[in-house]
Amino acid sequence: MTTDEKVTLLHGPMLGMVPQAKRPPGVTIGAGYIPGIARLGIPALVESDASLGVANLGGVLRKGDVATALPSGLALAATWNPDLVYAGGKMIGSEARAKGFNVLLAGGVNLVRDPRGGRTFEYLGEDPLLAGRLVAAQIGGVQSNHIMSTIKHFALNDQETGRNIASVNFDEASARESDLLAFELGIEGGHPGAVMCSYNRVGDTYACENRFLLTDVLRRDWGFSGFVMSDWGAVHSVGALTAGLDQESGEALDTKRFFSTELSSALLAGEVPMAAVDRATLGILTAIYSQGLVDHPVIGKSAIDYAADGAVALRAEQQGIVLLRNQDGILPLKAHPRTILLVGGHGDLGVLSGGGSSQVSPVGGLRRRATATGSFTGYGYGGTPPLEALRTAFPDSVITYIDSTDLPATIAAAAKADIAVVIGEKFSSEGVDVRDLSLGGGQDDLIAAVAGANPNTVVVLETGNPVVMPWRDKVAAILEAWYPGQSGGTAVAQVLSGAVNPSGHLPVTFPADFGQIPNPVLPGSTMGPPSKQDKALYGSAVTSPTFDIGYPEGSDVGYRWYDARHAVPLYPFGFGLSYTHFAYAGLQAHGGAAVRVTFRVTNTGTAAGADVPQVYVTLPGKARRLIGWSRTDLAPGQTRTVTVVADRRLLARYSVQNRGWLVAAGPVKVEVSRAATDPVLTASVRIAAAQLQP
Ligand code: BGC
């Protein structure tokens, strides 16, 4: 290859920003584009977001184009079902191929460290094992189409506030045991072609020019052989190449053309060695060939079976809805209520989705679009409207909708209905963190008032983050439906009618209040509004001074923090109710070189259902942590034996000095639990000492 050919592969534009006349003909417009090299048969990389469906940036990239919209990442994680997450990835990959893309910017696996994170809805929760295993499944599903997937955003990009100026400064061992472990598991299980580095700094150095992350951890320790692409507008120097970045994405968003004009001069001046260009080229070509982009090229566009793909979105939400409360077994709704009043949340229009680059225009389109401060896509409602879905699920009931703007009228209508279903909604988006954990817009008062008027009040939450529920004890039932995806209205109605038995379990802790979370004041949130340039819209030029994000919880992310401090959350990680009951018995736990746990799960109720028994270990002096789970479908009366074997990294601590994992010999408490705070069976085993490579 000539130097020019190599450099061609190292950078590319966001085609949507390129004037029409200069765009390559016939190329589908998505988030990114890297030209190919015809002489060598190297295909162009045609890139689209992302993890929840083939995205369309608020409908502006491809006017009128829609795609199947999965429920949010948190809903996918709440299924605890890698097979289903694989099916979701496979579906998105096939739609990407049919639309002319060969790279999906999927695989978002940043841990939920702060419940206010604007992208919490996109990610897979707070636990590195759960998130890491699920992201591996998602990537595997995408790549089964010979469509390359990324894993992102590497690393520690866990909040939006100051995302392109802040520096995450905390110790390496904690990072290895938490956020980096999620990536490590995702990469070894999913084999993504590419890693996308993040906007933020880590240890004062931008993630996209961070030799420790991109070279030492990723390549030296994990043996990653694909390539690193930047996030859009996250490159700050040509030296990023020598630190380990291979490709500059969305180059017009950076302050300079670092990996083209600047690189050419730097090569001439001998400031960047040719070996760095060769390494980057090799990584890109390795990913292109090993993912089958050459043997299975994307040729033109093809038809999409939206009905079949919609069924995947439906299944995901059926398993992702979490039943949080069900007083006196009000759900499933008995017989057929005469009247149901649906309140708020634009339940007559569709369901809410999150904003930002991941936003999908669902089949049927996004209705009632509105702007939202800090979000560059705004929001709308799509998919099957809950009102329509309820009418299908309860054909003999009279179902009406009221939008809740007239509070007295809403309360009067609620008093007259047999059942009141209130949708509590909260929009969140890439680019901006939510300010607090309440639903906002008077919804908490509304729910309390409706519940005061009607004891049969059911709350359906459409949120991208944990929320607090001051009205919790007043309402009969609560469903966390997350952003439910295009078939979510149907799934919610099916859960209410009992056609579907809920089986989702929380992948994040719901705090009781702000005082419980590690950073009660969100880092950077007191700095005042960002300057025009610093707006978190992509990377853009950055002029504000950096600030530190410290993580007092270290590797005790989420439920482990609560455990260490004996704090009682509103709802714990792993929690989720069912319409049936499950019993656990017969625990056998073995230690030694590994921890191996076997037990029986029995459905002791009268409805078929799926359970997610979870296994946690507690090492002396440490907080408990998840080592495995088993999602198990059981008919009434049926029993299954379940075995869980711990990955030894979960029993170890990371030693920076030894550059590896150290398992200390000694006793370990093992628990089989319904949720992080609800152990049912307990045993103690002794584990043997071990030293493992990173
Ligand atoms: C996001 C990435 C996304 C990229 C391209 C960035 O704003 O952080 O997740 O893939 O845009 O749209």
Side-chain angles (χ1 to χ4, degrees):
M1 292 175 77
T2 64
T3 301
D4 280 354
E5 285 170 338
K6 292 175 192 169
V7 171
T8 299
L9 294 181
L10 307 194
H11 67 98
M14 208 179 166
L15 274 190
M17 294 173 72
V18 173
Q20 195 99 33
K22 291 196 172 159
R23 292 180 190 169
V27 173
T28 310
I29 309 297
Y33 176 73
I34 306 291
I37 300 167
R39 178 181 85 83
L40 301 171
I42 298 170
L45 299 181
V46 188
E47 303 168 346
S48 173
D49 289 297
S51 313
L52 311 178
V54 178
N56 194 355
L57 205 62
V60 301
L61 292 176
R62 303 175 304 282
K63 287 250 172 316
D65 189 29
V66 297
T68 301
L70 286 177
S72 67
L74 282 186
L76 297 174
T79 71
W80 296 57
N81 186 344
D83 295 341
L84 186 50
V85 174
Y86 180 95
K90 187 170 173 197
M91 180 280 287
I92 302 173
S94 74
E95 291 197 358
R97 170 173 281 274
K99 290 176 186 295
F101 296 108
N102 58 6
V103 177
L104 260 175
L105 310 170
V109 72
N110 297 95
L111 293 187
V112 178
R113 281 183 176 270
D114 194 300
R116 291 162 295 198
R119 300 184 86 169
T120 296
F121 76 91
E122 283 184 53
Y123 302 141
L124 297 164
E126 68 191 22
D127 181 74
L129 178 67
L130 180 64
R133 289 219 175 131
L134 294 181
V135 84
Q138 180 182 82
I139 293 163
V142 168
Q143 294 192 159
S144 68
N145 298 281
H146 301 294
I147 298 294
M148 190 193 301
S149 178
T150 57
I151 188 167
K152 69 187 186 183
H153 309 83
F154 193 60
L156 292 152
N157 181 187
D158 300 338
Q159 69 171 52
E160 295 302 281
T161 303
R163 72 171 175 174
N164 41 32
I165 49 177
S167 177
V168 174
N169 293 336
F170 80 141
D171 68 286
E172 178 186 339
S174 293
R176 295 262 196 178
E177 293 169 10
S178 56
D179 290 61
L180 297 186
L181 182 57
F183 277 92
E184 188 176 3
L185 294 169
I187 290 170
E188 71 189 25
H191 308 288
V195 169
M196 186 193 293
C197 53
S198 55
Y199 286 123
N200 54 295
R201 296 167 153 108
V202 174
D204 296 326
T205 305
Y206 282 112
C208 285
E209 56 187 43
N210 196 306
R211 184 179 298 278
F212 165 72
L213 287 176
L214 306 184
T215 298
D216 299 353
V217 174
L218 189 60
R219 292 180 166 101
R220 183 195 65 193
D221 294 345
W222 298 348
F224 177 69
S225 62
F227 70 101
V228 180
M229 68 166 76
S230 71
D231 202 340
W232 271 233
V235 186
H236 302 272
S237 69
V238 69
L241 183 72
T242 41
L245 176 65
D246 301 310
Q247 196 175 69
E248 180 183 19
S249 317
E251 58 190 354
L253 295 162
D254 292 323
T255 48
K256 289 184 183 164
R257 303 284 170 130
F258 292 111
F259 278 29
S260 48
T261 332
E262 298 288 306
L263 176 59
S264 301
S265 338
L267 281 171
L268 277 179
E271 288 157 11
V272 168
M274 197 58 200
V277 172
D278 287 343
R279 180 220 68 225
T281 308
L282 182 63
I284 295 166
L285 291 177
T286 301
I288 289 178
Y289 283 91
S290 64
Q291 298 303 334
L293 269 55
V294 174
D295 292 340
H296 306 270
V298 172
I299 302 165
K301 296 185 183 164
S302 45
I304 292 174
D305 183 348
Y306 282 122
D309 291 356
V312 178
L314 177 61
R315 226 168 356 117
E317 179 64 3
Q318 286 171 337
Q319 296 186 22
I321 291 175
V322 182
L323 178 63
L324 293 175
R325 180 177 168 87
N326 194 12
Q327 281 309 98
D328 304 323
I330 183 176
L331 297 181
L333 295 175
K334 302 282 167 341
H336 282 289
R338 233 175 2 96
T339 54
I340 301 177
L341 179 72
L342 179 65
V343 184
H346 302 289
D348 56 336
L349 281 183
V351 294
L352 191 59
S353 56
S357 60
S358 69
Q359 193 182 65
V360 178
S361 296
V363 175
L366 271 186
R367 299 176 269 275
R368 191 186 173 121
R369 300 193 54 83
T371 54
T373 315
S375 167
F376 50 89
T377 53
Y379 66 103
Y381 297 81
T384 308
L387 178 61
E388 185 186 316
L390 281 172
R391 287 182 172 150
T392 307
F394 297 92
D396 301 329
S397 306
V398 175
I399 304 175
T400 45
Y401 173 76
I402 190 160
D403 71 6
S404 82
T405 40
D406 181 343
L407 191 58
T410 307
I411 294 169
K416 276 192 245 143
D418 289 345
I419 305 286
V421 176
V422 191
I423 297 175
E425 59 167 346
K426 182 162 174 127
F427 178 69
S428 62
S429 173
E430 175 184 345
V432 58
D433 296 313
V434 300
R435 256 181 300 170
D436 59 38
L437 300 177
S438 66
L439 286 172
Q443 294 182 89
D444 287 330
D445 292 343
L446 168 75
I447 294 171
V450 170
N454 189 327
N456 299 326
T457 295
V458 176
V459 176
V460 175
L461 294 170
E462 291 179 15
T463 73
N465 303 73
V467 286
V468 289
M469 306 172 201
W471 33 261
R472 173 170 71 156
D473 297 338
K474 300 195 178 95
V475 304
I478 307 170
L479 291 181
E480 175 54 90
W482 315 106
Y483 297 143
Q486 66 177 45
S487 313
T490 301
V492 166
Q494 290 172 334
V495 166
L496 295 179
S497 75
V500 167
N501 187 351
S503 58
H505 288 254
L506 295 179
V508 286
T509 306
F510 277 44
D513 59 57
F514 267 127
Q516 290 187 324
I517 64 176
N519 281 319
V521 177
L522 186 73
S525 61
T526 52
M527 299 204 339
S531 71
K532 222 174 179 177
Q533 299 96 303
D534 295 348
K535 281 249 172 70
L537 169 60
Y538 292 104
S540 41
V542 169
T543 52
S544 294
T546 182
F547 64 88
D548 283 359
I549 300 175
Y551 287 127
E553 74 276 27
S555 64
D556 288 345
V557 186
Y559 62 92
R560 305 190 65 206
W561 166 258
Y562 289 77
D563 186 32
R565 303 178 42 112
H566 308 292
V568 180
L570 183 65
Y571 287 107
F573 175 84
F575 181 82
L577 301 172
S578 165
Y579 295 155
T580 188
H581 298 283
F582 300 98
Y584 307 152
L587 172 61
Q588 289 178 13
H590 303 281
V595 170
R596 190 187 165 85
V597 181
T598 302
F599 57 97
R600 295 191 302 277
V601 190
T602 302
N603 181 345
T604 56
T606 51
D611 190 26
V612 183
Q614 301 144 42
V615 183
Y616 296 85
V617 297
T618 310
L619 301 171
K622 300 277 260 181
R624 59 159 69 91
R625 77 180 301 165
L626 182 74
I627 58 157
W629 70 92
S630 175
R631 207 192 132 86
T632 313
D633 285 292
L634 292 168
Q638 195 183 358
T639 297
R640 284 228 177 119
T641 299
V642 164
T643 299
V644 165
V645 181
D647 184 309
R648 283 198 294 173
R649 285 167 289 194
L650 303 169
L651 307 172
R653 67 181 176 84
Y654 188 83
S655 162
V656 176
Q657 209 184 355
N658 296 47
R659 205 150 64 71
W661 301 93
L662 296 182
V663 182
V668 173
K669 181 157 92 174
V670 177
E671 293 166 323
V672 177
S673 308
R674 297 187 192 284
T677 53
D678 190 3
V680 178
L681 306 175
T682 306
S684 179
V685 297
R686 278 195 76 78
I687 49 171
Q691 197 165 343
L692 312 165
Q693 294 308 305

